[in-house]
Amino acid sequence: KANQGRLENFFTVL
Amino acid sequence: MFEARLPQAAVLKKLVEALKELVTEGNFDVSPSGISLQAMDSSHVCLVTLQLNDDGFEHFRCDRNMSMGIHFGNLSKILKCAGNEDTITLKAEDNADQLTLMFESANQDRISDFDLKLMSIESEHLGIPDQDYSAEVKMPSAEYQRIVRDLTSMGDTVLVSATKEGIKFSTSGDIGTANITLRHNTTPEKEDEQTHIDLKEPVALTFALRYLNNFAKATPLTPQVKLSLTKDLPVVVEYKVGELGQVRFFLAPKIDD
């Protein structure tokens, strides 16, 4: 089953 | 000082209604070029960005950049006191701890002002790269709202796949499965009723329906919505706010273990 990704997985935290 | 005047309060009322459940608080960053906001939901699964451009306001003045921490539930309470057709003016002194909202009725026989206490909000900013998306789909916002609402009665997640056949939304749950496909359709005379699918390469991603449903709270803002999809990237659901700017919702996809 797929897990919910978090935004930090995809975008850089500035 | 900061001062921004909008001829219709309805726009701001709709904007705040669209985001207040997703993000309870956030910073309105004001600068001479306008008002912007970037706020994540508490689970860091989705992000709301808002850009309202200075030239979209009837009057806009910002002498120095400011970050105004706002509780959207409280802002919503105040905006409920404004008539849809009221002119609304936002005002704050430099380094103020409150934002003044002034409402004027169309014939100027009723003027009210409300002060909203500002908060100090520590928020992480995310760098969102400019991106060429594999698929960009413009569709009637009411259609988007209906699709995600209908699918929510069947399942918790939706597989969104864009191919040359169209954009397909698929879900499954305890009672069965559902598929809804929208085709590229420029037949309707009104542009607002058309569906445009701009496909560079086929793409399929899985998302939580709960959030996609929440984004549809922005439907009253505008008749069209744009979905941008690329493999392994958050989907962008964008609502334009007339000439004023836009609100964008980013939702992280489900990822395989």
Side-chain angles (χ1 to χ4, degrees):
Chain A
K1 196 184 167 184
N3 292 317
Q4 176 60 58
R6 286 164 55 98
L7 291 164
E8 291 88 340
N9 299 125
F10 306 94
F11 295 144
T12 323
V13 179
L14 298 177
Chain B
M1 72 173 289
F2 160 69
E3 195 170 83
R5 183 176 162 94
L6 277 175
Q8 278 191 320
V11 176
L12 199 58
K13 285 159 79 92
K14 289 175 189 172
L15 268 173
V16 172
E17 289 310 297
L19 53 84
K20 73 171 193 201
E21 278 176 41
L22 222 45
V23 288
T24 52
E25 55 194 42
N27 286 314
F28 271 174
D29 294 315
V30 299
S31 75
S33 59
I35 303 174
S36 66
L37 161 81
Q38 194 188 89
M40 276 192 276
D41 79 307
S42 57
S43 57
H44 291 202
V45 168
C46 68
L47 173 79
V48 183
T49 67
L50 176 66
Q51 178 63 46
L52 304 176
N53 302 313
D54 62 320
D55 55 9
F57 289 86
E58 193 176 277
H59 165 75
F60 192 91
R61 172 181 167 184
C62 177
D63 298 336
R64 56 181 288 182
N65 293 4
M66 274 194 291
S67 207
M68 297 191 291
I70 290 185
H71 184 281
F72 295 116
N74 293 343
L75 178 57
S76 164
K77 283 180 192 169
I78 290 180
L79 287 171
K80 286 210 162 73
C81 306
N84 282 332
E85 304 300 325
D86 284 2
T87 294
I88 183 165
T89 304
L90 309 176
K91 273 192 220 175
E93 299 298 327
D94 291 347
N95 298 318
D97 57 1
Q98 61 184 30
L99 172 69
T100 300
L101 296 99
M102 190 170 86
F103 310 137
E104 293 168 79
S105 63
N107 56 6
Q108 300 204 317
D109 58 352
R110 186 177 196 271
I111 299 164
S112 40
D113 58 84
F114 292 75
D115 291 335
L116 173 67
K117 286 181 189 164
L118 296 176
M119 311 163 71
S120 175
I121 300 170
E122 289 279 326
S123 70
E124 282 176 326
H125 262 252
L126 292 179
I128 303 164
D130 275 336
Q131 179 74 34
D132 280 330
Y133 286 92
S134 301
E136 290 189 319
V137 182
K138 286 185 197 162
M139 65 170 85
S141 55
E143 183 65 78
Y144 168 81
Q145 182 180 44
R146 181 180 169 195
I147 290 171
V148 294
R149 187 192 60 214
D150 288 353
L151 294 184
T152 301
S153 62
M154 298 289 288
D156 298 328
T157 63
V158 60
L159 174 67
V160 183
S161 42
T163 65
K164 61 178 173 26
E165 307 301 318
I167 180 163
K168 183 162 88 166
F169 301 82
S170 309
T171 190
S172 61
D174 294 341
I175 65 167
T177 64
N179 296 290
I180 299 171
T181 301
L182 280 192
R183 294 185 191 286
H184 185 83
N185 178 8
T186 53
T187 315
E189 269 184 37
K190 286 187 190 163
E191 211 167 311
D192 290 346
E193 295 168 8
Q194 299 178 355
T195 300
H196 287 261
I197 300 175
D198 179 7
L199 188 75
K200 293 198 176 64
E201 56 182 341
V203 58
L205 289 162
T206 302
F207 299 101
L209 274 167
R210 183 163 71 88
Y211 293 98
L212 294 180
N213 251 306
N214 221 314
F215 303 163
K217 289 189 191 298
T219 307
L221 279 168
T222 177
Q224 282 257 313
V225 62
K226 183 169 86 172
L227 272 57
S228 303
L229 296 151
T230 289
K231 185 178 183 329
D232 297 333
L233 270 188
V235 62
V236 190
V237 181
E238 178 182 312
Y239 295 84
K240 286 235 180 289
V241 190
E243 299 301 304
L244 192 57
Q246 79 280 325
V247 57
R248 293 191 180 116
F249 300 99
F250 296 78
L251 174 61
K254 297 267 183 176
I255 44 181
D256 290 326
D257 253 341

